[in-house]
Amino acid sequence: MSSATAWHDLECGAYVADLEAWERLAANRDGPLLDLGCGTGRVALHLARQGREVVGVDRDADLVREMLARAAAEDLPVRGEVADVLDLDLGRRFGLAVAPMQLIQLLGGPARRG
């Protein structure tokens, strides 16, 4: 486990207060789900355990690798992409895109978030 992975898990891994909200939002959406700033997969793995196909995106390759390893260990339908969400083009549409935790604050202000 890389230091980035360990730090991410320490900072975010145990947080569960938002998972029910993501479940409710995903329940009425068709198609795959997109987890922006997926980290080690806290939300992506949770939604995949609910039977949803999820694509997680993060700019840190170590975090995406860890998410994919965890998904593989549980045989979950999770794909990962290493990319900056500000320059993202996956060439497909998603039923729902989620941006958990503090991702919005990390995107460089209102102009860049738009």
Side-chain angles (χ1 to χ4, degrees), residues 1-65:
M1 181 181 294
S2 74
S3 61
T5 301
W7 175 251
H8 187 274
D9 282 348
L10 178 65
E11 183 178 12
C12 305
Y15 186 71
V16 297
D18 62 339
L19 295 178
E20 184 180 339
W22 302 129
E23 279 181 49
R24 283 194 318 267
L25 287 169
N28 298 320
R29 301 298 196 281
D30 293 325
L33 308 175
L34 181 61
D35 181 1
L36 300 170
C38 63
T40 58
R42 182 183 69 84
V43 175
L45 298 173
H46 178 80
L47 293 172
R49 289 182 194 113
Q50 309 296 313
R52 301 304 303 263
E53 176 190 351
V54 183
V55 175
V57 176
D58 203 290
R59 65 181 174 192
D60 188 314
D62 287 340
L63 299 181
V64 172
R65 273 192 296 275

Side-chain angles (χ1 to χ4, degrees), residues 45 49 69-76:
L45 298 173
R49 289 182 194 113
R70 293 174 185 186
E74 295 184 51
D75 196 27
L76 295 172

Side-chain angles (χ1 to χ4, degrees), residues 55-90:
V55 175
V57 176
D58 203 290
R59 65 181 174 192
D60 188 314
D62 287 340
L63 299 181
V64 172
R65 273 192 296 275
E66 183 64 25
M67 176 191 66
L68 293 174
R70 293 174 185 186
E74 295 184 51
D75 196 27
L76 295 172
V78 175
R79 288 189 35 240
E81 298 285 340
V82 177
D84 186 327
V85 300
L86 293 173
D87 299 314
L88 189 60
D89 181 3
L90 296 175

Side-chain angles (χ1 to χ4, degrees), residues 88-106:
L88 189 60
D89 181 3
L90 296 175
R92 65 190 284 199
R93 297 182 64 85
F94 293 87
L96 175 70
V98 300
M101 302 293 287
Q102 68 274 14
L103 178 70
I104 296 299
Q105 288 104 356
L106 300 175

